[in-house]
Amino acid sequence: MAKEVDLIKEKLDLSDFLRSYITLLPAGRNLKALCPFHQEKTPSFMVSPERKMWHCFGCGLGGDIIKFAMLYEHLEFPEALRFLAEKAGLNIQIMSPIQQREFGILYDLHEEAKNFYKSELKKNKSAVDYLSGRGIAPETMEEFDLGFASGGETLTVHLLKKGHDVKDIVRAGLAQKNTSGLYRDKFFERIIFPINNQVGKTIAFTGRITPEAEAKYADSPTPPPKYLNSPETPIFNKSRTLYGFDRSKQFMNESRSVLLVEGQMDFLGAWQSGVKNIVAVSGTSLTPYHLEKLRRMADTAFVSFDNDSAGLKALERSLEFFNNFDFHVKVVDLGKFKDPADAAKAAPEFLKEAIVSAKPAFQYIFGIYFSPENWDENDVPKRKRTIRHLLSLIKSLKSAVEENFWLKKLSGESGISESALSEEIRGIDELAGYVEEEGDEAGAVSADYSDAVAKRLVALALTKDKFLNILKANSQLLPPVFQKILENPSEEARGLLELQSSYEFADADEDKLEKEFRDLMRRLETVELRERQAIIKKSLKMAQASGKEDLMNQLLGDFSEITKRLNDFTK
Ligand SMILES: [Zn+2]
């Protein structure tokens, strides 16, 4: 279909097409608009007519003309192509009979694989015992077509016997060629959860390793992952698919709310205990595409991620997204339970009650950071870090009303005056969330931070040849991906940075641009110097252990030189 896609993009001008939906304004060499997919008062929706792409820096959605039609008109890919072809006056057959057959085969293969796995589960007592042990009832296993993959080439052989071509089986992501050139099943020694599209057709699988296999491979240098997903195929797009959506959409619509959980086990446990307005993110992080889809069904999102620090991180990362789509977010407090599956198993009524008493996200987050075990009045650096971290979360809300509300609450919890907090929050920039990790004892800087600095710097440099030349002369300071983007204008990722450039800097004045450019260059150099310091520290330890006095002296000299340069920066 690649040919049809190109034809449509050539015939239909992206900005003309978008003008029939939204008002476009100039922004540097690009265009901007109020985003039609999320609530906003200042434009974050950017369009590059030249690169035929769009991206919203408010909510994170983006793509080409086809993606826009899919999202705006709520169409699946082939329908969007047909819709656009008509607009373009093209009389093209969107799917040739061969292509239709190819799509059809992928669905057929998944249907047959699902049935095969399901019948295998009945023969495997220890897999059934494992599921029962996790609290999954036999009716639920049946209802959600749970299965078992023993592995080797059992599925592949079964599908070949049914008359399928091995090429199609590989294309569906169900088998792969190993290093000796033999075709083996993709899933082995795993409990299988079929993933369906919104009309209930199976399009992919998630496999959870059996406890036996987990123990068997525990000492292997490359142990298999606990959960494994099907690869992306023409019928399976990870960032848009949610586990259980086909079953739960009517319940979400009725209650105008959704319970979001991390994994399939959580979903099934909750479903069994009667919570049906639920979806699982299952193995990927939450994307704006998921939220755009859920927003059509629900106004309130109840979040119940794992009750640990990884779950908290996932919640914090998703707050901004939720807020952009104007969701009312509440967090379900799992109390002593480690995840929703655990809670549903121990006390079936627990989740329903916990949903009723769920707290607004920030109230929940404050509760964690200000708990007696995390908040220490006497540890000043940690207290400062915590406050800065919470302020950067509050700042990401982008709504002044919400910001004020939570600053007041934060002031109450921390005992710091509201005016001091308002002062502090003004000084927090986009990079603040990363900067706090700079305080690591090892002196090493997180890769996320240097990427964030490099990204902003390249976007800024794209506004002016002068900046671009300075940055090119110092490109060794940039992470390799950004060096490539800088050198090669046809790099695909450059398009996004050009849009970011127009979005962030098109309206800024000269002096401000100069100042920020110098500041970002300095941050990048600081990263490099800190990394060198970390290496010297390691070498020093080794030199010390082996008693090499000369080397130690030289290293100490290098170290103090770098420290001096770093100090000069902060003057
Ligand atoms: Zn948007």
Side-chain angles (χ1 to χ4, degrees), residues 1 19 42 49 97 127 143 190 206 227 273 275 281 294 311 341 344 353 371 376 382 415 431 447 458-459 495 521:
M1 264 169 291
R19 275 196 191 91
T42 51
E143 188 179 358
R190 286 176 186 276
T206 296
Y227 285 92
S273 63
V275 178
V281 185
L294 291 173
E353 286 157 23
S371 67
D376 179 358
K382 189 181 171 195
L431 299 168
V458 174
M521 284 299 287

Side-chain angles (χ1 to χ4, degrees), residues 92 149 158 185 204 213 272 277 288 326 328 338 366 439 509 525 565:
I92 51 176
H158 172 80
D185 292 357
Q272 256 177 208
N277 52 334
D326 211 17
H328 194 50
K338 70 175 176 16
F366 287 176
D509 66 51
E525 253 177 275
R565 279 174 65 189

Side-chain angles (χ1 to χ4, degrees), residues 35 38 56 59:
C35 178
H38 87 277
C56 173
C59 66

Side-chain angles (χ1 to χ4, degrees), residues 35-38 40 44-45 56-61 325:
C35 178
F37 302 115
H38 87 277
E40 64 174 2
S44 317
F45 183 98
C56 173
F57 290 90
C59 66
L61 294 172
F325 286 99

Side-chain angles (χ1 to χ4, degrees), residues 121 128 131-132 136-146:
L121 180 67
V128 175
L131 287 166
S132 310
I136 309 297
E139 306 79 65
T140 311
M141 297 181 208
E142 178 67 31
E143 188 179 358
F144 286 88
D145 301 315
L146 304 196

Side-chain angles (χ1 to χ4, degrees), residues 48 53 63 276 411 425 429 444-445 485 513 523 540 546:
S48 167
M53 64 180 281
K276 307 220 158 175
S411 167
I425 204 168
D429 61 25
V445 182
I485 293 174
L513 290 181
R523 283 187 191 230
L540 254 174
S546 52

Side-chain angles (χ1 to χ4, degrees), residues 94-241:
I94 291 309
M95 272 203 252
S96 66
I98 293 173
Q99 282 166 334
Q100 257 167 24
R101 210 188 119 253
E102 283 188 346
F103 256 81
I105 286 172
L106 290 181
Y107 289 118
D108 292 349
L109 281 166
H110 278 87
E111 181 66 21
E112 276 163 25
K114 178 184 79 184
N115 293 334
F116 179 75
Y117 287 145
K118 201 174 169 180
S119 66
E120 291 287 293
L121 180 67
K122 300 202 168 90
K123 296 182 211 154
N124 193 289
K125 189 175 173 302
S126 79
V128 175
D129 286 347
Y130 170 75
L131 287 166
S132 310
R134 294 289 308 264
I136 309 297
E139 306 79 65
T140 311
M141 297 181 208
E142 178 67 31
E143 188 179 358
F144 286 88
D145 301 315
L146 304 196
F148 176 72
S150 54
E153 57 281 299
T154 48
L155 175 69
T156 309
V157 167
H158 172 80
L159 294 170
L160 287 172
K161 273 191 194 152
K162 291 248 170 184
H164 287 290
D165 191 325
V166 74
K167 274 205 209 90
D168 291 325
I169 303 172
V170 172
R171 207 161 54 85
L174 296 169
Q176 53 200 15
K177 220 185 214 178
N178 70 6
T179 42
S180 352
L182 299 167
Y183 290 100
R184 308 302 294 263
D185 292 357
K186 158 101 176 167
F187 295 99
F188 57 90
E189 295 170 272
R190 286 176 186 276
I191 290 161
I192 296 290
F193 303 88
I195 300 175
N196 297 343
N197 66 9
Q198 36 192 347
V199 293
K201 277 194 177 176
T202 301
I203 52 172
F205 299 100
T206 296
R208 194 225 184 262
I209 196 164
T210 59
E212 292 91 349
E214 204 173 1
K216 188 164 75 184
Y217 301 113
D219 295 328
S220 138
T222 51
K226 200 164 175 181
Y227 285 92
L228 183 71
N229 276 325
S230 294
E232 299 226 328
T233 64
I235 60 170
F236 175 50
N237 181 329
K238 267 185 209 161
S239 63
R240 300 183 67 214
T241 310

